[in-house]
Amino acid sequence: GAPVHICHLQASAMGAIEEFLGLIRKAREDGVAITTESFPYNAGSTSISAAVFGRNWQEIFAITYEDVEWLATGERLTEETWNEYREKYPGGTVVHHYNREEWTRIATEAADVIVAADGGPIITTEQKSTPFGIGTFSRVLGHYARDEGTIDLMTALSKMTILPARMLESYAPAFTKKGRVAVGADADLTIFDAREIRDNATFDDPYQPSTGIAHVIVGGVFVFRDGDLLEDVYPGQRILR
């Protein structure tokens, strides 16, 4: 009777993503409250001490040490540096470049798979981060919906607005006012040019803002206006159950 949410579908299912999607949809038809999400990048990111790296991870991911990046500096690892960092810096973050575009595309184009940024906290721009929390939504709208034309614009928008809101409504009723434009809904709006929207953040240069976003409004208050971030404006509120 409990709802289930599966994180990072393309990253966890990998080559079995179509099988995973089939099982999820069948469970839904059988009455299970089950949802899933993905992010539009061909890499994963986690702690170097994560449990999966205590197993046969090179076989699981079909990669070697050179496919693993030390997030803070962008350094590609060797067997020697891998063993050294895993011992000295167990809390350090790595990016492992193992995803395939085929898996990412299937999840990104599926109308019933939520788009999730999976963005980690950015403490300082002196250290690198993943582009996930910076370019995800612009990447789906610009690359897949417009340039590739493999998903229509309104479906792409629903995957990052109404779908996650509906997933959370039964747990936190405040989400009945999120993810939609309607009388009585919260005025959380992003105004963008569908012809210009584009992600610019990369793994090598993550702190590049997206192109094509004109305004961002939170709770009816501008926080980003005419392409400029407004200072000392913080209308956002915690959403409590």
Side-chain angles (χ1 to χ4, degrees), residues 55-72:
R55 299 161 55 199
N56 56 332
W57 62 270
Q58 295 187 62
E59 180 182 345
I60 291 170
F61 295 122
I63 58 174
T64 64
Y65 297 104
E66 290 75 17
D67 297 306
V68 181
E69 178 181 345
W70 189 245
L71 180 60

Side-chain angles (χ1 to χ4, degrees), residues 35-58:
T35 52
T36 187
E37 50 85 343
S38 70
F39 54 91
Y41 294 92
N42 299 327
S45 181
T46 189
S47 165
I48 195 171
S49 60
V52 69
F53 294 131
R55 299 161 55 199
N56 56 332
W57 62 270
Q58 295 187 62

Side-chain angles (χ1 to χ4, degrees), residues 5-85:
H5 181 67
I6 299 174
C7 291
H8 312 341
L9 184 66
Q10 92 286 9
S12 55
M14 299 193 289
I17 185 165
E18 290 180 316
E19 180 183 356
F20 271 50
L21 270 174
L23 290 168
I24 289 168
R25 289 164 177 162
K26 178 62 168 61
R28 227 179 259 146
E29 290 173 4
D30 292 340
V32 179
I34 184 168
T35 52
T36 187
E37 50 85 343
S38 70
F39 54 91
Y41 294 92
N42 299 327
S45 181
T46 189
S47 165
I48 195 171
S49 60
V52 69
F53 294 131
R55 299 161 55 199
N56 56 332
W57 62 270
Q58 295 187 62
E59 180 182 345
I60 291 170
F61 295 122
I63 58 174
T64 64
Y65 297 104
E66 290 75 17
D67 297 306
V68 181
E69 178 181 345
W70 189 245
L71 180 60
T73 62
E75 171 193 5
R76 292 296 181 117
L77 301 185
T78 64
E79 183 175 3
E80 180 181 358
T81 53
W82 169 271
N83 291 328
E84 177 187 352
Y85 292 177

Side-chain angles (χ1 to χ4, degrees), residues 138 141 189-198 209-217 221-230:
S138 299
L141 296 171
L189 303 167
T190 299
I191 314 301
F192 67 93
D193 187 336
R195 299 165 299 182
E196 300 293 333
I197 189 77
R198 184 175 306 281
S210 296
T211 301
I213 298 176
H215 314 293
V216 177
I217 300 169
V221 178
F222 279 97
V223 295
F224 188 79
R225 188 166 194 168
D226 296 322
D228 293 320
L229 183 66
L230 304 184

